[in-house]
Amino acid sequence: RGSQFSELMSESITQVNNSMQESKAITASFEQGDPSVSLADVMINAQKASIQFSGMTEVRNKLLTAYKDVMNMPV
């Protein structure tokens, strides 16, 4: 069960990283004048990456809080 959770977290981190790399690549293409990339594409991909990163950060924060709560429970 623990390994499933760690695999899920690892996959999520990989997806967020891929999204951020894709956003950087699209931004670079736009900056280099690629006519197939519009400003809207750049902005949408940047927002998607930002939202995914924020979500992942919130999950991490909640997990840390839960861990601290469990560790502070009286035995």
Side-chain angles (χ1 to χ4, degrees):
R1 202 176 236 201
S3 65
Q4 291 175 347
F5 178 76
S6 64
E7 287 174 15
L8 180 63
M9 284 301 294
S10 179
E11 288 174 13
S12 296
I13 291 168
T14 300
Q15 288 176 351
V16 170
N17 184 49
N18 290 342
S19 179
M20 293 180 83
Q21 295 300 322
E22 180 182 340
S23 177
K24 286 171 102 174
I26 288 174
T27 300
S29 293
F30 179 77
E31 289 172 349
Q32 294 171 359
D34 186 345
S36 67
V37 179
S38 69
L39 180 59
D41 294 334
V42 172
M43 297 305 293
I44 289 170
N45 279 307
Q47 284 299 314
K48 282 182 183 178
S50 176
I51 290 168
Q52 288 177 342
F53 184 77
S54 295
M56 182 185 68
T57 303
E58 284 299 315
V59 169
R60 183 207 60 184
N61 292 344
K62 294 292 182 184
L63 287 171
L64 287 175
T65 300
Y67 176 78
K68 288 177 184 177
D69 290 346
V70 168
M71 293 306 291
N72 290 329
M73 284 183 176
V75 179

